[in-house]
Amino acid sequence: PVAEARIDALVGLDLHSQNPFLAAPTHWNTNSHGEIEHIAPFADGVGLEEDTPRPLPELLEIALHAICQWQVLEDAGLAHGDIAPSNLLISSDGASHWIDFDGMRFPDPDIPVPETIGHRSMLAPELRNGSSSPDILSDRFAMTVYLNWLLLSRHPVTGLADTPAET
């Protein structure tokens, strides 16, 4: 019932009609095995880690395009909940197509919070320690990690100490 309430709310948003770069589900049903199936628009591109090297001006354009998609969600009071290099696809022309909306946080308190919290390498501290569920602030944290990765070609903590003895 929780998953059905969440997918029904997500489909009801009709995000793809509002923004063609948000490849959120448009239809859903429950199959004969009780599993949820959904249809979502095709999202062109590859994840950040599979994208080809690009010059800085192109990377800045990709960053701007990704931020524009993010702003659409924030303007609606929505949190993606799973901003990650594999969920913001980059097309050959540098467009940012967003996928994997199952962790979305809705502003309506009647819609259950997500049961997932995203990719560990992108998680805000409050998600890592379990004191919060995904929300707009944790999306902002993940987006800054993503933008760092996009523009500098590495995760922000790459090369930092892994153990207290190394600090």
Side-chain angles (χ1 to χ4, degrees):
V2 169
E4 288 182 1
R6 290 184 49 72
I7 189 71
D8 196 50
L10 180 56
V11 167
L13 292 172
D14 198 21
L15 286 174
H16 186 71
S17 290
Q18 297 176 46
N19 183 318
F21 299 100
L22 299 176
T26 58
H27 298 84
W28 76 278
N29 72 296
T30 305
N31 68 20
S32 60
H33 303 291
E35 302 164 327
I36 292 175
E37 301 174 325
H38 71 272
I39 296 172
F42 174 74
D44 187 26
V46 297
L48 179 59
E49 295 174 293
E50 293 83 39
D51 194 33
T52 57
R54 298 174 188 253
L56 181 62
E58 269 188 65
L59 295 174
L60 292 170
E61 287 180 14
I62 293 167
L64 177 59
H65 199 259
I67 289 167
C68 289
Q69 309 334 310
W70 177 34
Q71 187 63 48
V72 169
L73 297 177
E74 281 225 9
D75 285 349
L78 301 165
H80 183 275
D82 196 5
I83 293 173
S86 58
N87 291 338
L88 278 64
L89 303 181
I90 302 168
S91 66
S92 59
D93 65 355
S96 176
H97 297 262
W98 289 44
I99 63 169
D100 198 2
F101 289 84
D102 63 329
M104 177 156 290
R105 178 73 178 262
F106 299 86
D108 182 346
D110 294 332
I111 300 171
V113 297
E115 295 176 331
T116 58
I117 60 170
H119 293 73
R120 184 138 179 90
S121 64
M122 307 297 285
L123 295 181
E126 63 273 15
L127 295 181
R128 284 178 182 250
N129 71 18
S131 65
S132 181
S133 6
D135 61 13
I136 286 177
L137 293 178
S138 63
D139 263 14
R140 290 177 183 175
F141 181 95
M143 196 63 182
T144 60
V145 172
Y146 178 82
L147 292 171
N148 185 97
W149 205 329
L150 172 69
L151 297 173
L152 300 178
S153 301
R154 66 177 180 82
H155 191 279
V157 299
T158 299
L160 296 180
D162 290 325
T163 65
E166 292 178 295
T167 58

